[in-house]
Amino acid sequence: MINIGIMGLGTVGTGVVELLEKNQHVISQRLGEAINVKKILVRDLSKKRTPCAEGKLTLRAEDILEDEEINIVVELMGGEEPAKSYIKKALQNKKHVVTANKEVISKHGKELFELAEKSGVSLLFEASVGGGIPIIRPMKQCLAANRILKISGILNGTTNYILTQMEEKGRNFEEALREAQRLGYAESDPSDDIKGFDAARKLAILSSIAFNTRITPDKVYVEGIERIEPEDIKYAGELGYSIKLVASARKVGEREIEVIVAPVMLKQSHPLSAVRDVYNAILVEGDAVGKVMFFGQGAGKMPTASAVVADIMDAARQGMRRRIYCTCYDELKVIDVGSSTSRFYIRLKAKDRPGVLSKISGAFGENDISLNMVIQKDVKGNVAEIVMVTHQVPFRNLQKALDEIKDLQDVENVANVIRVEGATSDGIHGNHR
Ligand code: NAP
Ligand code: HSE
């Protein structure tokens, strides 16, 4: 029998203990041994919990970390501390660790993987990216023979749920977010989802594996979905696009990479555009395999538990022989986002009077930006809403032009700027200049 200790009994922790009980027969058949949840760390003993946790709760982390009979510690509390310290202690005490905590792995992976290696134990984190989607193990094992050229995907279930609900059901942002929280998709601080930080942590983990380097979340350029308004979704639809929060990383030359999380208008025929609600998808491009896509539920109790329990089984069966250590041996430079190129959608409000449009297009022209399309939308009073789409331009040229446009007397505001997928790009990465 393999004894495990679980730290945290929220959405995912509850899913894990319920799944271990529900499928105990197949799990022990496949493993050749039973898994026993010996102790579960919580903060509050009086809270109503799943019946599967009865008699196992403790308020003391030491009851798990110092118990010599516990071989595997499963960290499902979330947040940076005390999760990181508990993971460290468990590794120091030569216990395998399974976690779904992308914040800790993306920020402190180097230190923790080195410690795991020194202690001769595993640190497994399949559930930290893409919820129930198998992606970490396939990247490290099944695609190990490839040089990875690019990864792009929808890595956050909460924001994808919100955008889908806004697009398809006309729901407002706050209402859709509340529902995502009720369904257990959102982080305890949902601004981590909305502002793109959660997707940036996941992209940092994926690109570290894909490009054998160490990318931390602070190196990822991030824009969230907080500025997306119903008007953007409506105009995107009229142009044949859907708006998705896309996380993307690609190699630029031999020594540089580009890592960006941002909303992107994707053609409705693009494979990521069909990814709805809490579903996530990750497109990986390898030099031998070509393009492969991984798809599934990116958040939620049971899909995430599926990934965590598979890691527990892997830790239980591996003994010491089959461990895959950290593979981040290279040092690559992350390039400045200003030099990344894309097409851009711009929505702005300006006075509806002669000469205004020519001043706006003048600012674009002076910054070497050519426009693909200009449409005047609603006019309210003497203010018109104008939608423009550029050709491929470097982001820094666009920023410079917009700074000039914002200063024009007749321009009320630049309401939004969103990357647009082009014929040859995913909207984030165009040709690099
Ligand atoms: P959650 O519902 O907020 O649950 C966290 C649990 O940890 C709560 O039960 C909380 O106790 C407990 N906890 C927090 N700090 C603690 C401490 N210091 N001592 C003891 N217990 C503590 O979070 P979750 O959604 O299950 O997420 C857990 C982890 O999985 C996070 O790292 C998250 O990013 C990751 N993840 C979540 C999903 C998902 O769909 N939810 C998917 C993939 C990965 P109380 O019950 O007392 O508040
Ligand atoms: N909050 C995360 C999401 C949970 O919505 O994708 C899964 O990592």
Side-chain angles (χ1 to χ4, degrees):
M1 187 165 67
I2 311 268
N3 286 310
I4 69 168
I6 297 179
M7 310 188 95
L9 191 58
T11 304
V12 183
T14 303
V16 168
V17 291
E18 289 178 352
L19 183 59
L20 282 168
E21 176 148 324
K22 177 172 169 277
N23 287 354
Q24 58 179 301
H25 183 66
V26 282
I27 290 170
S28 55
Q29 285 291 319
R30 285 173 186 160
L31 200 57
E33 261 189 285
I35 290 177
N36 173 47
V37 179
K38 192 170 177 206
K39 278 273 173 286
I40 304 170
L41 178 72
V42 294
R43 281 188 291 206
D44 178 358
L45 289 176
S46 66
K47 222 171 177 179
K48 192 169 181 307
R49 309 279 179 179
T50 171
C52 308
E54 219 174 287
K56 301 182 174 197
L57 303 186
T58 177
L59 295 172
R60 291 163 29 95
E62 310 83 78
D63 288 349
I64 292 175
L65 298 172
E66 305 297 340
D67 184 335
E68 289 188 358
E69 287 181 0
I70 289 180
N71 316 99
I72 302 169
V73 172
V74 185
E75 184 282 306
L76 300 170
M77 301 185 308
E80 210 168 341
E81 282 296 353
K84 182 201 164 198
S85 300
Y86 291 169
I87 292 174
K88 256 182 98 170
K89 190 72 194 162
L91 295 172
Q92 278 160 351
N93 289 352
K94 302 200 185 307
K95 298 179 191 305
H96 300 293
V97 172
V98 171
T99 181
N101 194 324
K102 47 263 164 155
E103 184 167 7
V104 167
I105 293 294
S106 62
K107 291 183 182 168
H108 306 288
K110 184 175 183 329
E111 179 189 350
L112 296 174
F113 288 116
E114 281 171 6
L115 183 55
E117 192 164 345
K118 199 168 143 212
S119 295
V121 290
S122 292
L123 171 55
L124 302 174
F125 52 100
E126 184 62 68
S128 67
V129 181
I133 306 174
I135 181 68
I136 304 295
R137 204 168 277 104
M139 293 273 288
K140 286 196 170 205
Q141 296 184 354
C142 316
L143 298 177
N146 285 260
R147 281 161 59 91
I148 304 298
L149 309 171
K150 181 172 166 181
I151 39 181
S152 58
I154 294 173
L155 298 183
N156 184 270
T158 301
T159 45
N160 205 47
Y161 180 84
I162 293 171
L163 291 172
T164 309
Q165 294 291 312
M166 286 173 79
E167 181 181 328
E168 294 181 6
K169 306 241 168 83
R171 278 177 138 172
N172 70 39
F173 193 104
E174 286 71 25
E175 193 191 341
L177 170 60
R178 272 197 302 279
E179 187 61 5
Q181 288 177 293
R182 192 188 67 75
L183 292 165
Y185 303 156
E187 296 301 300
S188 54
D189 175 0
S191 64
D192 279 0
D193 298 293
I194 304 307
K195 293 184 176 164
F197 302 141
D198 178 77
R201 290 169 189 151
K202 292 166 175 167
L203 184 65
I205 294 172
L206 282 187
S207 41
S208 297
I209 297 170
F211 304 112
N212 302 109
T213 188
R214 174 65 55 199
I215 300 295
T216 46
D218 54 308
K219 294 279 190 310
V220 179
Y221 173 78
V222 190
E223 289 176 18
I225 65 160
E226 65 272 35
R227 291 184 62 188
I228 307 287
E229 294 187 44
E231 288 87 334
D232 299 310
I233 290 178
K234 178 170 156 238
Y235 298 150
E238 287 171 10
L239 297 168
Y241 293 96
S242 284
I243 302 174
K244 299 286 182 189
L245 186 68
V246 177
S248 190
R250 69 166 184 150
K251 198 97 181 260
V252 181
E254 276 305 305
R255 305 299 315 154
E256 293 184 320
I257 62 168
E258 193 172 70
V259 273
I260 303 179
V261 171
V264 178
M265 287 189 180
L266 295 176
K267 278 252 166 59
Q268 280 158 2
S269 56
H270 191 287
L272 292 179
S273 168
V275 179
R276 300 172 57 254
D277 282 331
V278 74
Y279 282 85
N280 284 190
I282 303 138
L283 259 171
V284 182
E285 207 174 317
D287 63 347
V289 74
K291 287 182 183 168
V292 277
M293 182 150 148
F294 299 84
F295 171 81
Q297 291 188 52
K301 181 173 150 183
M302 293 320 271
T304 311
S306 156
V308 173
V309 173
D311 270 355
I312 296 171
M313 292 171 72
D314 211 29
R317 74 163 68 91
Q318 40 190 273
M320 296 295 123
R321 275 163 297 145
R322 284 188 43 237
R323 269 194 318 277
I324 303 173
Y325 288 118
C326 177
T327 49
C328 305
Y329 51 77
D330 209 357
E331 262 191 45
L332 300 180
K333 184 171 176 276
V334 174
I335 62 165
D336 177 52
V337 70
S339 53
S340 70
T341 70
S342 176
R343 295 167 67 211
F344 290 91
Y345 152 103
I346 299 132
R347 177 167 63 86
L348 58 80
K349 287 193 176 147
K351 296 266 162 57
D352 187 22
R353 63 167 69 126
V356 175
L357 261 183
S358 81
K359 284 185 202 152
I360 293 171
S361 26
F364 283 125
E366 276 158 30
N367 288 288
D368 212 11
I369 296 170
S370 72
L371 294 171
N372 176 243
M373 195 195 73
V374 180
I375 311 172
Q376 180 160 319
K377 293 289 184 182
D378 291 349
V379 180
K380 283 196 184 116
N382 68 340
V383 175
E385 188 157 58
I386 301 164
V387 165
M388 290 172 259
V389 178
T390 71
H391 285 290
Q392 291 273 350
V393 293
F395 187 41
R396 77 164 60 86
N397 292 37
L398 183 83
Q399 285 174 311
K400 204 157 163 282
L402 290 176
D403 285 344
E404 290 167 23
I405 288 167
K406 280 177 199 156
D407 284 345
L408 293 173
Q409 224 181 13
D410 290 328
V411 172
E412 209 162 80
N413 65 34
V414 175
N416 217 343
V417 176
I418 303 173
R419 286 163 174 76
V420 180
E421 173 223 357
T424 57
S425 80
D426 58 15
I428 286 193
H429 306 297
N431 299 320
H432 200 261
R433 291 193 192 180

